[in-house]
Amino acid sequence: MMANKKQRTMGTHHVETGSCFDATNTSGIAIKDRPGGHGALPAKPVDVCAFSFDRVTERRTPSAFLKSGTGTGGKIASPPKDAPPPEFPDENVTPKKQGGRAAGRGGGAEGGVEGADTSAVDAAASSRQIEFSAFVERPNPPNTEFRRFYERGDLPVQIDHGGVNNRIAWKIGIERLEYHHYLPIFFDGLREVEEPYAFLAERGIYDMMHVGKGRRVLPVLPQLIIPIKTALNTRNREVIVKTLKVLQALVRCDNAKNDVGKALVPYYRQVLPIMNLFIRCPIVQSEIGSPSLGALIQETLETLERHGGSHAFIHMKYMVPSYESVMFR
C-alpha cells in the first residue's frame, strides 16, 4: 500500500507565497549561477589568430563577396529597401528651382530627398541597439545569507504594517546587537530584489548605522566589502542604485569624523570598478523623473572623496580615470 503512494516533491520557487512557513529551495541553483558571475553569459567564438600564428581560412564562394548595390555605404545600418537612392548634384550645374526657390550650393538634393534619406538611416541606426556583455545583468540567485537567516527565524526583525508606509520593527534594542555578526548579514541582503527581504535588509542597514554610528560600524567595515562588491557585480540597476545610496550613508554615519570614509580608501579596488563601467554609459537611465545612474555614481564618488581624506582622490583617479576632483577645483 505504501508503494502506491506518490511522493510529493517540492519544486524550486523564488517568490514569496505569503506563508509563514515558506522557505526558498536553493538546492536547484547551479554553480554557474554564482552571484555576479560570468558563467551565464553567452560564449563568444575564440579567435585563434590572437594567440598563435595559425590562421583560420575558408573557401570563399562568389556569393561571399560584396555585390554592387549592397552594403551600408559607410553608415552603421543599411538604408531601407524602399527608400529612393540619394542624388548627388553636380556643383558645376545650376540646381533646379523648386517652389520658386533654388536649392543653393551644398543645399542637398532636390525636394529634400537627401534629408529624408538621412533621417531614415539615422532612425534605422538608432533602432539597432548593441547590447554589450559588460552591461548585461549577471546572475543574482536567491541564496543570500540574509534570506537564509530570516527564513530560519534568526533575525530579530519583522515588518510593522503601518497605515501609510511599512516600517521595520526590531524585537530587541539595536544597541544590544552584535554588529560583527548581524551587519554583514544585512549587507549581504542588498542584492535582494524580492519582498520582504529587500525592504528589511535595506531599512535594517540604515537603522543599525544610525544607532551604532562610526564607533560600532568601523570595526566591521572589512566584512562589508565582499557583500558590497557582490551587490554591485550583479549589474542590476535597482541593486546598484540601492547599494550606492547605502555607500553614501556609510561614509556619513560617523558624524563628520570621516573615520569610516578614510578606512574605506584601501578597498576602492573592489568597489569602484563597476562605477567606472556605468558612469559614462548613455543607455543606462533610471526611471523617468529621477536622476540617471551616471549622476548617482558621480554623487557617490564626490561623497567618498569628501569623507575619504587627502589620499582618497589619487586612489579614485586610478580606478575611475574620468573622475575630476571636487576638492581641488
Side-chain angles (χ1 to χ4, degrees), residues 3-329:
N4 297 331
K5 288 187 176 181
K6 295 182 179 179
Q7 184 178 3
R8 180 182 178 185
T9 59
M10 182 177 180
T12 303
H13 59 283
H14 296 161
V15 296
E16 278 294 288
T17 63
S19 172
C20 59
F21 302 104
D22 184 27
T24 304
N25 185 5
T26 59
S27 60
I29 299 177
I31 299 178
K32 67 176 182 179
D33 295 334
R34 177 178 59 87
H38 310 285
L41 293 177
K44 295 183 178 180
V46 179
D47 185 9
V48 296
C49 302
F51 306 98
S52 64
F53 293 102
D54 297 335
R55 185 178 181 86
V56 178
T57 60
E58 59 180 354
R59 184 180 180 85
R60 296 178 64 91
T61 59
S63 60
F65 294 91
L66 189 64
K67 299 180 180 179
S68 176
T70 61
T72 60
K75 298 183 178 295
I76 299 178
S78 302
K81 294 182 179 179
D82 55 348
E87 297 183 7
F88 301 96
D90 190 353
E91 294 185 355
N92 298 324
V93 180
T94 304
K96 298 180 181 180
K97 294 183 179 181
Q98 292 207 357
R101 297 181 60 185
R105 181 176 181 180
E110 301 175 5
V113 176
E114 183 179 356
D117 293 341
T118 305
S119 60
V121 173
D122 293 341
S126 60
S127 62
R128 179 188 175 189
Q129 180 179 357
I130 303 176
E131 188 69 23
F132 297 97
S133 59
F135 304 104
V136 176
E137 292 186 10
R138 299 301 193 265
N140 187 15
N143 57 352
T144 62
E145 289 296 309
F146 180 86
R147 181 185 291 244
R148 185 168 67 91
F149 275 81
Y150 179 76
E151 291 178 344
R152 206 166 60 181
D154 291 345
L155 297 180
V157 292
Q158 63 183 20
I159 296 181
D160 181 13
H161 298 279
V164 180
N165 297 321
N166 294 336
R167 296 174 297 178
I168 180 173
W170 294 87
K171 300 178 182 179
I172 62 174
I174 302 178
E175 64 277 357
R176 298 173 56 187
L177 293 176
E178 179 61 41
Y179 273 56
H180 281 277
H181 174 70
Y182 285 104
L183 194 57
I185 294 176
F186 276 84
F187 265 83
D188 191 47
L190 278 176
R191 62 182 179 90
E192 285 285 356
V193 293
E194 299 174 9
E195 300 296 343
Y197 313 107
F199 172 77
L200 289 173
E202 184 179 7
R203 296 310 311 173
I205 290 174
Y206 286 120
D207 290 350
M208 294 183 70
M209 289 191 301
H210 176 72
V211 174
K213 307 297 182 182
R215 57 184 178 84
R216 302 194 65 179
V217 175
L218 182 59
V220 198
L221 186 63
Q223 304 179 41
L224 309 180
I225 303 303
I226 296 300
I228 293 175
K229 178 184 177 182
T230 304
L232 293 175
N233 281 339
T234 59
R235 291 167 169 81
N236 185 297
R237 277 50 169 179
E238 178 184 353
V239 175
I240 292 178
V241 169
K242 180 168 55 176
T243 307
L244 293 177
K245 293 180 179 179
V246 169
L247 270 176
Q248 295 183 26
L250 180 64
V251 298
R252 293 193 186 115
C253 69
D254 54 354
N255 295 332
K257 294 181 180 179
N258 297 338
D259 293 336
V260 177
K262 294 177 183 178
L264 191 64
V265 173
Y267 302 103
Y268 283 173
R269 290 176 177 269
Q270 286 76 32
V271 178
L272 299 187
I274 298 298
M275 299 188 192
N276 182 42
L277 183 64
F278 286 96
I279 189 172
R280 299 301 181 193
C281 183
I283 62 175
V284 181
Q285 296 288 339
S286 56
E287 297 180 358
I288 300 177
S290 58
S292 64
L293 181 57
L296 183 59
I297 292 176
Q298 180 69 23
E299 179 184 348
T300 305
L301 293 176
E302 294 176 359
T303 304
L304 293 177
E305 183 187 1
R306 290 191 179 98
H307 297 80
S310 57
H311 301 286
F313 173 69
I314 188 63
H315 289 79
M316 296 172 63
K317 190 68 173 178
Y318 181 78
M319 300 304 301
V320 188
S322 61
Y323 176 72
E324 296 296 337
S325 174
V326 294
M327 304 294 291
F328 303 101
R329 290 180 180 176

